[in-house]
Amino acid sequence: MGTVSPAKKLASAIFLIGGAALLVIALILDFTGSQFALRGWMLIIGILAVLAGLYFFPSSSRHKGMINIIFLFPLLFTFAVTVIIPLVLGIFYSLTDWNGIRMTAFVGFQNYAAMFNQPSFLWSLLLTVLFVVVNMIMVNVVGFLLALLCTSRLKGIGFFRAAYFLPNLIGGIVLGYVWQFVFNNVLITLIGNGISLLSNTNTAFFAIIVVYIWQYAGYIMLIYVNGLVTVPGDVLEAAAIDGANPIMTLFRIKIPMIASTITICTFLTLTSAFKQFDVNMALTNGTGSVQNFLGKYLTNGTQMLALNIYNEAISKNNYAIGQAKAVLFFIILAIVSLVQVRISNKKEVEM
Amino acid sequence: MKTKMKTGPFIIIMVIAIIIAIYTLMPFILVVVNVFKSAKGEFGIANDPVGLKGASFAQLGDNLSRVINNSNFSFWSAFGTSALITIICLVLLAVFGGMAAWVICRNKTKWSTAIYMVFIASMIIPFQVVMLPLISTFRDVGNFVGLKLLQSIPGIVFAYLGFGGAMTVFILTGMVKTVPYDLEEAASIDGCSYEGIYFRIIFPLLKPSIVTVTILNGMWIWNDYLLPSLMLGQNGKVKTLPVAVQAFVGSYVKQWDLILTAALLAMIPMIIIFLIAQKQIMSGMVEGAVK
């Protein structure tokens, strides 16, 4: 396959040797504790030079393999450094006395035991499960009803779809503050009793649910609309000729035919509600009093799991316990995901 | 055959749709109304957060100038940082993601399958489980090799490439599969180099899916709060818009004239983009979910 030009050979050699040399020097500087300012740049240029050397590698039979490596490198490298390594470290740290900077001892499952002895954590766990269940049902029901509305013969349907979807565009932090204003100022003025929904734990939890549905139902609606328009028109027509009324058509034809869409939406709302953080932080920051939970007085009445993990580590500086909670968080999500994959695979086989 | 709906039910459905639209748009409307008003006074935000009395363009200008020029918010700097990070990440994710997807899809080896499986499986990893070690790793590795990875834009771009890669590769792989292999063989016979096949033939054909991943990644990166707040710091010099809003609200508790103006400024870019590319954004969001 083709001859290799000497220029390419030379370029490859220069890049490979030069790059490797730069890498080695940079690493020697790192390991000897040198504070030479350019050593970081030497590392980056070294890596790029080695990649360039691979690109010019003087063998056409190997060329394909070299390109494969170069093409995979950027995402695989960033992925390994930002996801895989921290994940492994995180699981390891959860078994130590890590304080965010260094660890001195291996403590086994002590962190896990400690977190299950915190009533505030158990409260957050319970609250999150409740939040997830309520939202999974509510967001899907509301989203589905909106989708029915947006597939009926409305005028200006494009406007309504966009208007219902709009809340999903804006980040939870900004929305949380806007809703805080709505609850604390607008509603008080309109109703006139001077008590904000956010000032009481139960109603504040209800408020978070309302905001979450408001933000997420429009998105779920779009997915249901996408499912509903795939229901073939002739099937609906046949049903109409056979004398099916709209409600029968809905339950006997439309809903069974979009079963896979329902699975997708259920899973989406489940994982997203479970990870809820931004709105929780901006709206109530987890505050709210609970008079008696497992014999304790709690001040984190509306704090959900993700926020609990954040506060444990960042605010209270208990990194190891925070990390142990995060690992539990991950395990729960992994189990839920596996169950979901199982269910949807089974459904696909049946169809 | 479409049967015409009777006028009665049609009006009822229209009214319901309009009421719901008013509800979903209400918070936005309230923000817009109140940025025209001052905090105090008989018709100010505190006493009358609903009515239009007391609203004036002069007050809007006053609110805007107090927020935009505020050193606790520094809108232009935050906006620039957010835009820069988002754009760099979107371009790199599209290019690198397409490259990786193509290699994974066209090489049916044990390695490529394993890499693909790891990418897919990693999508269930929540940010919370990696965030604490991520920060310490970036700090320690950065100090070790002499690169500033925290409180720096390149560092945060690096992290977004790592977190966004899996989903991007997943969606783009689905697209690469639909490109007929004959096309690549023909190009190869015509003398196109292996890497040229990707850039000249595959990448242009991936455009519809590139739009989808760009929308999904763009919405996520632009609105993300937790990652930038941890990596850039609440009080650092470099801030993204959500972090700046959070820091601003912290220093001006309950000063709604300032907070709502900041919220409006943070929302406007996204709303403008939505008005321009409404169809693409809505279909992109659906495609991302359905796949």
Side-chain angles (χ1 to χ4, degrees):
Chain A
M1 297 271 298
T3 49
V4 180
S5 69
K8 243 185 170 181
K9 237 180 201 169
L10 188 68
S12 173
I14 292 176
F15 276 122
L16 278 178
I17 295 168
L22 271 175
L23 279 181
V24 169
I25 296 171
L27 286 176
I28 289 173
L29 287 173
D30 292 340
F31 278 105
T32 53
S34 155
Q35 291 303 313
F36 182 55
L38 291 177
R39 68 191 203 281
W41 283 106
M42 288 167 66
L43 194 73
I44 293 176
I45 294 169
I47 292 173
L48 292 178
V50 169
L51 287 177
L54 289 179
Y55 177 73
F56 291 120
F57 201 73
S59 151
S60 39
S61 59
R62 295 265 172 83
H63 184 63
K64 220 174 142 175
M66 294 300 163
I67 294 291
N68 285 346
I69 293 172
I70 297 171
F71 273 24
L72 279 175
F73 178 77
L75 282 192
L76 219 50
F77 180 64
T78 51
F79 174 73
V81 175
T82 49
V83 181
I84 301 298
I85 294 174
L87 180 68
V88 174
L89 278 178
I91 294 170
F92 172 71
Y93 284 149
S94 74
L95 303 169
T96 69
D97 66 345
W98 186 53
N99 64 0
I101 295 167
R102 63 179 65 82
M103 54 152 290
T104 53
F106 192 74
V107 298
F109 286 93
Q110 212 171 297
N111 293 320
Y112 291 87
M115 80 191 187
F116 281 116
N117 282 327
Q118 286 182 357
S120 61
F121 175 69
L122 295 175
W123 173 263
S124 288
L125 195 62
L126 206 67
L127 199 69
T128 310
V129 172
L130 189 64
F131 181 79
V132 167
V133 171
V134 170
N135 275 309
M136 215 169 76
I137 298 167
M138 288 305 294
V139 171
N140 274 288
V141 169
V142 173
F144 185 71
L145 291 177
L146 287 180
L148 285 181
L149 191 66
C150 279
T151 46
S152 65
R153 241 152 278 145
L154 272 178
K155 269 203 177 120
I157 218 157
F159 165 77
F160 288 114
R161 282 185 193 173
Y164 301 162
F165 176 70
L166 192 65
N168 201 261
L169 280 179
I170 313 295
I173 289 288
V174 176
L175 288 182
Y177 288 120
V178 171
W179 274 94
Q180 201 190 83
F181 172 72
V182 172
F183 286 125
N184 281 349
N185 293 56
V186 179
L187 284 181
I188 291 182
T189 319
L190 287 184
I191 299 167
N193 63 357
I195 299 164
S196 164
L197 281 178
L198 297 180
S199 59
N200 171 296
T201 305
N202 293 333
T203 52
F205 183 61
F206 171 74
I208 298 174
I209 292 175
V210 167
V211 174
Y212 184 79
I213 295 171
W214 173 79
Q215 188 189 7
Y216 217 68
Y219 177 36
I220 295 302
M221 167 202 78
L222 282 187
I223 303 172
Y224 277 125
V225 166
N226 186 57
L228 283 174
V229 294
T230 59
V231 176
D234 47 353
V235 174
L236 297 178
E237 219 173 282
I241 291 168
D242 288 348
N245 61 31
I247 293 179
M248 276 166 78
T249 319
L250 176 66
F251 283 102
R252 299 273 170 79
I253 298 173
K254 283 184 181 166
I255 291 182
M257 285 195 84
I258 59 160
S260 63
T261 312
I262 296 176
T263 318
I264 293 170
C265 290
T266 312
F267 180 62
L268 267 180
T269 41
L270 203 158
T271 48
S272 128
F274 196 74
K275 293 189 219 170
Q276 180 55 16
F277 177 85
D278 292 8
V279 171
N280 193 194
M281 180 173 186
L283 204 57
T284 65
N285 202 9
T287 56
S289 58
V290 178
Q291 288 308 324
N292 187 354
F293 179 71
L294 301 175
K296 281 264 173 113
Y297 175 80
L298 301 181
T299 53
N300 67 333
T302 60
Q303 186 186 54
M304 278 180 283
L305 213 45
L307 189 57
N308 185 290
I309 294 170
Y310 178 86
N311 283 342
E312 185 74 58
I314 308 293
S315 314
K316 293 190 197 161
N317 230 348
N318 292 329
Y319 274 76
I321 295 181
Q323 187 57 42
K325 289 176 176 179
V327 171
L328 179 76
F329 189 74
F330 169 52
I331 293 171
I332 296 174
L333 262 178
I335 292 172
V336 166
S337 308
L338 288 179
V339 168
Q340 192 265 343
V341 170
R342 264 283 173 77
I343 292 173
S344 53
N345 279 352
K346 240 186 209 165
K347 275 221 182 94
E348 263 160 43
V349 172
E350 279 165 13
M351 289 225 278
Chain B
M1 284 271 105
K2 288 187 175 174
T3 45
K4 267 213 168 160
M5 204 186 277
K6 284 176 201 128
T7 330
F10 175 76
I11 290 175
I12 295 172
I13 289 181
M14 254 336 251
V15 170
I16 293 173
I18 291 170
I19 291 174
I20 298 173
I22 292 173
Y23 169 70
T24 58
L25 297 179
M26 184 262 301
F28 300 103
I29 299 168
L30 283 170
V31 171
V32 172
V33 166
N34 283 296
V35 294
F36 283 91
K37 307 204 305 199
S38 66
K40 300 201 173 74
E42 192 188 346
F43 300 112
I45 299 173
N47 293 320
D48 178 19
V50 195
L52 271 171
K53 276 183 193 166
S56 73
F57 279 98
Q59 189 58 46
L60 173 70
D62 184 44
N63 286 345
L64 281 176
S65 74
R66 276 192 300 155
V67 171
I68 289 179
N69 301 326
N70 194 305
S71 60
N72 284 317
F73 190 49
S74 31
F75 171 73
W76 290 116
S77 148
F79 174 77
T81 307
S82 270
L84 192 67
I85 290 173
T86 309
I87 290 168
I88 296 177
C89 287
L90 291 182
V91 172
L92 292 183
L93 275 172
V95 174
F96 292 159
M99 279 166 27
W102 180 59
V103 170
I104 286 172
C105 207
R106 289 301 189 231
N107 293 281
K108 287 274 167 273
T109 61
K110 251 190 270 170
W111 276 105
S112 68
T113 318
I115 291 170
Y116 185 63
M117 286 304 174
V118 171
F119 269 141
I120 302 276
S122 79
M123 288 200 283
I124 60 168
I125 299 172
F127 181 64
Q128 275 77 12
V129 75
V130 292
M131 65 181 183
L132 305 173
L134 176 80
I135 303 307
S136 76
T137 307
F138 269 47
R139 188 187 51 228
D140 296 344
V141 171
N143 284 338
F144 183 69
V145 301
L147 288 170
K148 200 174 181 207
L149 294 176
L150 292 180
Q151 285 159 14
S152 83
I153 291 179
I156 201 168
V157 168
F158 187 94
Y160 275 127
L161 290 185
F163 284 114
M167 195 269 292
T168 309
V169 168
F170 175 59
I171 290 181
L172 291 181
T173 308
M175 190 72 194
V176 174
K177 275 182 195 155
T178 66
V179 177
Y181 190 60
D182 301 352
L183 222 60
E184 293 180 29
E185 277 181 337
S188 171
I189 290 166
D190 288 346
C192 191
S193 64
Y194 185 60
E195 67 275 15
I197 292 175
Y198 171 74
F199 285 109
R200 296 213 189 128
I201 299 180
I202 303 296
F203 192 70
L205 287 175
L206 292 181
K207 207 180 141 202
S209 284
I210 299 263
V211 172
T212 305
V213 295
T214 302
I215 286 163
L216 289 172
N217 287 329
M219 300 256 306
W220 160 55
I221 295 171
W222 180 268
N223 287 328
D224 195 21
Y225 167 75
L226 200 46
L227 179 89
S229 86
L230 289 170
M231 285 198 60
L232 301 175
Q234 294 275 3
N235 307 312
K237 266 190 182 164
V238 192
K239 277 183 206 154
T240 63
L241 262 182
V243 178
V245 169
Q246 166 74 17
F248 186 72
V249 174
S251 38
Y252 292 95
V253 183
K254 307 275 175 202
Q255 296 200 32
W256 290 112
D257 51 338
L258 299 178
I259 296 173
L260 292 178
T261 311
L264 180 77
L265 287 170
M267 292 194 288
I268 280 180
M270 205 67 199
I271 289 178
I272 291 175
I273 290 175
F274 182 63
L275 291 179
I276 297 170
Q278 185 188 333
K279 278 219 174 91
Q280 286 88 331
I281 289 180
M282 288 179 20
S283 65
M285 290 291 287
V286 172
E287 262 166 57
V290 176
K291 278 172 188 158

